[in-house]
Amino acid sequence: MLRDADNDGAHGGDRERARDGDRRPRGRRGPSRRPAETFLLLLLLPALLPALLLGTAAPASAHAVLRATDPADGTVLRTAPRHVTLAFTESVGLLTDSFRVYDPANRRLRTGPAGHAADRSDTARVTLPARLATGTYTVAWRVVSADSHPVSGALTFSVGKRTAAPAALPQDRTENGATTALHTIARYLAYLSLALLLGTAAFVAYCRPPTTAHLRAPALAAAVTLVASTLAVYLLRAPYEEAASPTTAFSLSALTHTATTRPGRLLLLRLALLLLAAVAAVLLGTLRVRLPRRATLAAAAALAVALALTWSASDHASAGVQVPVAIVSSTLHLLATAAWLGGLAALLWTLRRAPGTAAVPPARVPARFSRLAFTSVVVLVVTGVYQSWRGLGSWQALTGTTYGRTLLAKLALVTALLLAAACSRTWTARLTRPAGAAVRARVPEPASGPPLPEFPPEPPPAPPLRLLRRSVLLEAVAAALVLALTTLLTGTVPGRAATESAPSAPFAATGVQTASVITIPFDTGAPGGHGKVQITLDPGRVGTGSLQAVVYGPDGGLATVPELRVTLTLPARRLGPLDTRLTDRGGYWSTPAFTVPLPGTWTVKATVRVSDLDQVTVSAPVRVTR
């Protein structure tokens, strides 16, 4: 019986060591923790690198999508146009060199300054020379969308007839790889440093670790990185918009131009806020003034919200539908992300620096962070659902667009992140469980006495602190992967914009008249009897306009046919067919005046006769607006 009591005491000592987090080194078990944690850190670094470098090798992808052009891309016009007009899905900013127009000989034309059509910010227009020679012209354009991303492209139109070889797009309008890479790295270093800075502040304010000396160096490094990356983004802003070399970043014209744009002013505001906070911190430290806790928290919260607004007011939330609500949602989303991911980094640093003889304070700190992380997750879910709806616009875009598929992958990783967070929360709850009453050894009783009372079951031992460290590391790995997919989403056209974009659609939403162009392939079945016919209805709306048609042969060049007949039918109203009565103009067919009486989806039928015996009738729909 005494031997049993001694054994119970020994086991009780083992249980006490387990409750203390297995802090006492026993043989080789203590040193074995470092290689495992180092291995997990090595896994974390490759996950962080894609978040900083993804997309640096690809051209910039903006969120203002070209919706329509006038003239339409590839149109053959009877007379030379006076303007080139572009319509986008959101407002755009113009550059000093937004349009470059090249003639059939690939020489650049002198054009008027770029402007907005009919004072609409979602359009861009340039005036062409009064006289244009016959042939194909190339228009290279570049604008800046409302979410601060540049977008560029090119279109062609022909006057009279196409040239044998359309003018090639000059290479000086392509993205500068060095500028794009440097701008992307600086931009996401700013995101990362903001999350670390604000997350560390939230961790100290709410979780109240027993000591904060070990967090001063990471917080200072995050603040310095935030200032440096913001300054780099400002310097690279003009070269990034103009697709120029990074060496032009320090020119006076580039710096002054950036200061006149909304993204540039917000970057300057961010630098001013950081400078003001640094000066205030230095003065308080020099004068040894200690502000009340509530005043300090209020000032820190105001600074955090102001810094977050410098992002949300210049990114995707600043364009599209419900802009005020979107800016509030984006600001809350960014603050919650910083509190969770930045606080997670601070917790990881605290656990690694936790003293081996004081397990209770570190156990209480993860418990507080668990509540902070749960609140952040709730905010992220609510704001994330709203931003997903705003970016997608429809359920079809969830699987039918690149943005939607990337979002699904991000949701899967967020689910894995929540599972890792649940594991951390479980370890935290077990670490903070109050210790049970001390277990006393059994005392021998007389054989004739009452039976010994049953002792309550022993609670399971608390997990070692190293298990919580590893769980937090796994959570950080999942968070880094989520950040990498977020990087991809910021460079992907939202599903709503991708769905709404229609290059050949009329300018109904912008009030600018444009042509509707359709191309219909045909094949008579005879040798050399195939090709395509391009039909242009100008303008593509109700009323009187012109209709032109061009026939292309098997080699893609202009083809001459003995007869071409085009009719329009409106099946929904049982109207038609209306004969357009085309006339051969020597290379193309046209009618100067044709009236479309009603809006709707018309069916265009083209009968192409390529010889005395071979002809075919083909059809395609065309949308006519009011």
Side-chain angles (χ1 to χ4, degrees):
M1 298 294 290
L2 294 176
R3 187 182 301 114
D4 292 340
D6 293 338
N7 290 339
D8 287 344
H11 295 322
D14 291 341
R15 285 191 293 269
E16 289 299 322
R17 285 193 296 269
R19 292 191 188 98
D20 289 341
D22 199 16
R23 297 186 303 273
R24 182 179 302 176
R26 289 179 291 180
R28 298 182 180 178
R29 296 181 62 182
S32 65
R33 295 183 301 177
R34 293 301 178 187
E37 293 175 359
T38 304
F39 176 73
L40 286 176
L41 284 175
L42 292 177
L43 289 179
L44 179 61
L45 290 178
L48 285 173
L49 290 178
L52 301 177
L53 302 178
L54 274 174
T56 58
S61 177
H63 294 170
V65 178
L66 182 64
R67 182 167 52 188
T69 65
D70 183 18
D73 188 17
T75 305
V76 178
L77 304 175
R78 180 166 50 89
T79 59
R82 290 293 297 126
H83 304 88
V84 172
T85 306
L86 312 177
F88 298 89
T89 56
E90 63 182 45
S91 59
V92 294
L94 302 177
L95 305 172
T96 56
D97 199 20
S98 281
F99 285 93
R100 296 184 182 183
V101 183
Y102 299 87
D103 64 9
N106 214 14
R107 295 187 299 263
R108 185 175 178 181
L109 300 179
R110 291 182 177 271
T111 60
H116 295 292
D119 295 329
R120 299 190 65 95
S121 60
D122 58 351
T123 63
R125 169 178 284 185
V126 65
T127 302
L128 299 176
R131 295 182 179 180
L132 296 180
T134 301
T136 300
Y137 291 79
T138 302
V139 180
W141 52 268
R142 186 177 181 89
V143 296
V144 181
S145 60
D147 58 8
S148 76
H149 294 282
V151 57
S152 60
L155 63 95
T156 62
F157 67 90
S158 302
V159 178
K161 63 178 181 179
R162 289 181 180 270
T163 55
L169 180 64
Q171 295 299 316
D172 57 351
R173 296 298 281 182
T174 58
E175 300 291 339
N176 186 286
T179 300
T180 302
L182 291 175
H183 184 269
T184 303
I185 292 174
R187 190 163 177 260
Y188 290 106
L189 277 178
Y191 272 112
L192 184 61
S193 57
L194 177 74
L196 293 177
L197 181 61
L198 298 187
T200 302
F203 178 81
V204 172
Y206 184 77
C207 301
R208 299 186 183 183
T211 177
T212 59
H214 62 286
L215 295 176
R216 292 174 185 172
L220 181 60
V224 172
T225 304
L226 180 57
V227 173
S229 57
T230 301
L231 183 60
V233 172
Y234 181 86
L235 293 176
L236 293 169
R237 184 68 204 171
Y240 177 63
E241 291 180 352
E242 299 281 354
S245 170
T247 57
T248 63
F250 296 96
S251 65
L252 182 60
S253 60
L255 295 176
T256 54
H257 170 73
T258 303
T260 60
T261 63
R262 182 162 56 92
R265 291 192 294 267
L266 289 172
L267 289 172
L268 291 177
L269 176 60
R270 187 187 307 166
L271 289 173
L273 290 172
L274 293 172
L275 180 61
L276 180 63
V279 171
V282 171
L283 288 178
L284 291 176
T286 303
L287 300 177
R288 297 184 179 181
V289 177
R290 189 177 183 87
L291 296 178
R293 177 177 173 82
R294 291 186 178 180
T296 303
L297 292 179
L303 178 63
V305 172
L307 288 175
L309 280 173
T310 61
W311 265 276
S312 57
S314 63
D315 281 345
H316 310 150
S318 61
V321 297
Q322 301 178 357
V323 171
V325 179
I327 289 180
V328 173
S329 174
S330 179
T331 302
L332 293 176
H333 196 86
L334 183 57
L335 291 175
T337 301
W340 188 12
L341 301 186
L344 184 65
L347 173 63
L348 183 60
W349 194 257
T350 299
L351 292 177
R352 288 183 58 82
R353 293 301 183 94
T357 59
V360 175
R364 293 176 181 174
V365 169
R368 297 191 186 106
F369 176 76
S370 180
R371 293 190 291 269
L372 175 64
F374 178 79
T375 304
S376 301
V377 168
V378 172
V379 175
L380 287 173
V381 169
V382 174
T383 57
V385 168
Y386 170 75
Q387 293 184 26
S388 299
W389 167 83
R390 187 172 180 268
L392 289 172
S394 64
W395 288 107
Q396 291 77 10
L398 189 61
T399 56
T401 62
T402 303
Y403 183 91
R405 290 187 291 269
T406 307
L407 182 61
L408 287 176
K410 179 183 176 181
L411 292 177
L413 275 179
V414 168
T415 302
L417 177 58
L418 292 177
L419 292 177
C423 292
S424 300
R425 190 178 180 88
T426 301
W427 295 129
T428 301
R430 294 180 62 180
L431 279 173
T432 56
R433 183 186 60 238
V439 180
R440 294 179 298 177
R442 295 186 177 183
V443 180
E445 296 286 344
S448 60
L452 294 176
E454 294 292 336
F455 287 97
E458 285 291 328
L465 193 59
R466 67 173 182 271
L467 295 181
L468 180 59
R469 292 193 185 105
R470 294 176 181 178
S471 177
V472 172
L473 272 174
L474 291 175
E475 190 177 350
V477 171
L481 293 176
V482 171
L483 182 61
L485 280 184
T486 303
T487 303
L488 283 178
L489 282 176
T490 59
T492 305
V493 177
R496 182 187 296 271
T499 304
E500 292 177 354
S501 62
S504 61
F507 279 64
T510 63
V512 182
Q513 301 178 8
T514 186
S516 294
V517 182
I518 57 173
T519 301
I520 313 174
F522 66 87
D523 189 355
T524 63
H530 63 278
K532 58 184 179 180
V533 55
Q534 177 182 285
I535 301 173
T536 303
L537 181 62
D538 188 14
R541 61 179 180 85
V542 173
T544 302
S546 64
L547 191 143
Q548 304 171 15
V550 181
V551 180
Y552 298 97
D555 58 352
L558 295 177
T560 302
V561 295
E563 183 180 357
L564 177 63
R565 182 186 178 190
V566 176
T567 62
L568 276 77
T569 304
L570 185 59
R573 297 294 184 91
R574 297 182 180 180
L575 180 62
L578 306 180
D579 193 355
T580 58
R581 302 183 183 277
L582 293 177
T583 303
D584 188 358
R585 303 290 182 177
Y588 68 96
W589 299 70
S590 71
T591 179
F594 177 76
T595 302
V596 181
L598 296 174
T601 302
W602 290 74
T603 299
V604 178
K605 289 187 177 181
T607 300
V608 185
R609 184 164 63 88
V610 297
S611 67
D612 293 338
L613 300 177
D614 300 312
Q615 74 174 32
V616 66
T617 300
V618 291
S619 63
V622 62
R623 179 69 178 173
V624 177
T625 61
R626 290 190 179 276

